[in-house]
Structures are given as C-alpha cells and as structure tokens.
C-alpha cells in the first residue's frame, strides 16, 4: 500500500491528511475559513514532517480537483504541484463531488441499495454545482451548474430515492419537496475521505500531468469591481 498526502481546498474548509495502508494516519482541518492562503502551508508542512519523522516515504499527492472555490482550488493545486516537483512523485486529481460521497458510503448503512447520491456545492444564489452518482459511484448525471427549482431532478426522483448533501443542499431543502428527496447534514469534502479514491487511482495508474493539470472550475472566474469608498 502507498502513503499519500491529500489536500482539499474546494470550499471554505481547508484540510490536509496522510493515509497509509488504507487508514488515515494524520489529519488537520479548519472550518473557520476561507483562510487557505495562510493555513494550508503550515498544515502541509506538519503532514510532511509527520511522514519524514516516522520514516514513511511519500508515494503521491492527491488533490481535490473541483468544482468549487476558484481561489481555493488554485491554492491547493499550486501547493500540490510544488510537492510533486520537489519530491518527484505523481499527482492524483479527484472529483470533489465524488469525494463528498465517501463518508456516505462509509458511515450510512441505512441508505437503500437503489438510492442515488447528489452532492452539492454552493455556487451562490440558487445555483449549485452538482452531480448524481449511484452507490458504486458510477455517474448517473455529469457535473453541472444547476439553478435549483421545485421540479429539479424530478425525473430521477420519480424512480429513486435521492440523498442530497453538501453546503449547496442546505438552501434546497425548502424547494425540492418530492417524497423521494432526502437531505443529509454536515457532509463536506474533506482530505481524510480522499484515500479510498486515491488508492483506486494508484491501482489504475491514473495520474494527472503535473505540468499541465488545471482544476475543474466549471465556470470561469469573474472578478468583480470593488465599490467606490467615496
């Protein structure tokens, strides 16, 4: 098995973890952000020191590739690339929405076999970044930017129970009122949940190109003009 450093910066939460032999052996996270620019580097340094002090060779870095915060994704990606270049190790890019499904599979045994998962990341107003997966994490519907309305996902809801979760799902509870719609609280993309997907990527030698990899923003960043103070 491999030792992997995991970096997750797609939302306001900043988290870093180390995994080895299918277990998380180091984890730090901060939910008071966004403060990735100041917190990420010390977290990564602590994780690397932990590995070095325990003589654990680092085999790869996994990054949450998006969608999500434009700034957060860029900070996480540049940090991950720097480690990969410095230690001559490969980069693994994992879909952020798929990472969010991992704690559901690990800790929610009560969910029926025919259920679908719809992780959602807040994209302002009534828009979310969302995808739909089955329990095998097969893609039922690709990632899109959805404007959530009462009949959103209606066709799939007629056929399956769908579990909605993530910071984008919170604002949808009063809008999606289908009886097959269920909402799970306190589910976030976190580094400590990345290791099962990262290990699968290593087994398949599914690596990103360190030089050319770019995060999956879904939408282009648009800088707003600051309001005049006078």
């Amino acid at each position: 098995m491999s030792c992997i450093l995991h970096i997750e910066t797609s939302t306001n939460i900043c988290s870093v973890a180390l995994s080895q032999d299918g277990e998380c052996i180091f984890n730090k996270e901060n939910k008071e952000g966004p403060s990735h620019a100041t917190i990420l580097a010390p977290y990564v340094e602590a994780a690397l020191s932990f590995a070095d002090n325990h003589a654990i060779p680092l085999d790869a870095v996994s990054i949450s590739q998006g969608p999500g915060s434009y700034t957060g994704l860029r900070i996480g990606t540049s940090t991950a690339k720097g480690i990969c270049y410095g230690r001559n190790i490969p980069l693994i890019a994992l879909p952020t929405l798929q990472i969010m499904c991992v704690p559901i599979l690990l800790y929610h045994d009560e969910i029926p076999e025919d259920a679908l998962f719809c992780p959602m990341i807040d994209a302002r107003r009534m828009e979310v970044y969302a995808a739909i997966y089955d329990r095998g994490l097969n893609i039922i519907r690709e990632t899109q930017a959805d404007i959530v309305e009462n009949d959103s996902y209606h066709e799939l809801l007629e056929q399956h129970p769908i579990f909605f979760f993530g910071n984008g799902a919170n604002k949808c509870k009063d809008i999606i009122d289908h009886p097959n719609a269920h909402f799970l609280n306190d589910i976030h993309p976190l580094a400590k949940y990345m290791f099962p997907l990262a290990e699968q990527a290593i087994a398949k030698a599914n690596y990103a190109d360190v030089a050319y990899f770019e995060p999956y923003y879904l939408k282009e960043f648009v800088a707003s003009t600051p309001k005049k103070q006078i």
Side-chain angles (χ1 to χ4, degrees):
M1 300 291 285
S2 301
C3 178
I4 311 168
L5 173 69
H6 310 282
I7 297 173
E8 214 302 318
T9 55
S10 65
T11 66
N12 286 348
I13 301 172
C14 180
S15 60
V16 172
L18 276 174
S19 67
Q20 185 184 36
D21 299 334
E23 293 184 7
C24 182
I25 60 173
F26 176 94
N27 180 60
K28 290 185 78 69
E29 57 192 53
N30 182 288
K31 297 183 179 181
E32 300 174 1
S35 50
H36 307 340
T38 56
I39 289 177
L40 181 60
Y43 279 12
V44 167
E45 183 178 355
L48 295 177
S49 295
F50 180 92
D52 292 342
N53 291 339
H54 289 80
I56 303 172
L58 192 63
D59 298 293
V61 179
S62 78
I63 187 74
S64 179
Q65 71 179 29
S69 160
Y70 182 93
T71 302
L73 291 171
R74 288 200 70 82
I75 292 171
T77 297
S78 61
T79 301
K81 285 187 174 187
I83 299 166
C84 290
Y85 277 123
R87 300 202 173 207
N88 193 28
I89 54 177
L91 175 68
I92 301 166
L94 303 174
T96 300
L97 295 173
Q98 203 171 84
I99 294 167
M100 294 169 65
C101 296
V102 172
I104 310 299
L105 294 170
L106 291 177
Y107 305 119
H108 288 267
D109 296 334
E110 77 282 3
I111 292 178
E113 288 296 323
D114 65 336
L116 301 180
F117 299 157
C118 185
M120 292 177 160
I121 291 179
D122 192 353
R124 299 182 182 179
R125 297 189 178 90
M126 287 315 299
E127 192 171 35
V128 297
Y129 300 137
I132 299 179
Y133 301 93
D134 64 14
R135 288 181 62 94
L137 296 187
N138 299 302
I139 298 172
I140 303 301
R141 201 216 67 179
E142 295 281 356
T143 301
Q144 296 178 18
D146 296 334
I147 297 176
V148 179
E149 299 173 339
N150 181 261
D151 60 350
S152 295
Y153 318 107
H154 181 80
E155 184 175 342
L156 285 171
L157 282 166
E158 286 291 298
Q159 304 171 47
H160 299 270
I162 300 181
F163 287 78
F164 298 91
F165 48 89
N167 63 6
N170 296 332
K171 61 188 181 184
C172 301
K173 290 181 180 180
D174 297 330
I175 298 173
I176 303 175
D177 58 1
H178 194 283
N180 265 343
H182 308 276
F183 291 85
L184 299 173
N185 297 321
D186 200 30
I187 303 295
H188 308 282
L190 297 173
K192 64 183 178 183
Y193 297 137
M194 294 169 65
F195 72 88
L197 302 177
E199 289 178 354
Q200 288 178 12
I202 287 179
K204 298 176 182 178
N206 185 14
Y207 300 116
D209 187 307
V210 178
Y212 295 104
F213 171 75
E214 288 290 333
Y216 178 46
Y217 299 119
L218 194 59
K219 285 186 170 185
E220 291 298 321
F221 176 70
V222 177
S224 58
T225 303
K227 295 180 179 180
K228 292 182 179 181
Q229 299 299 313
I230 299 177

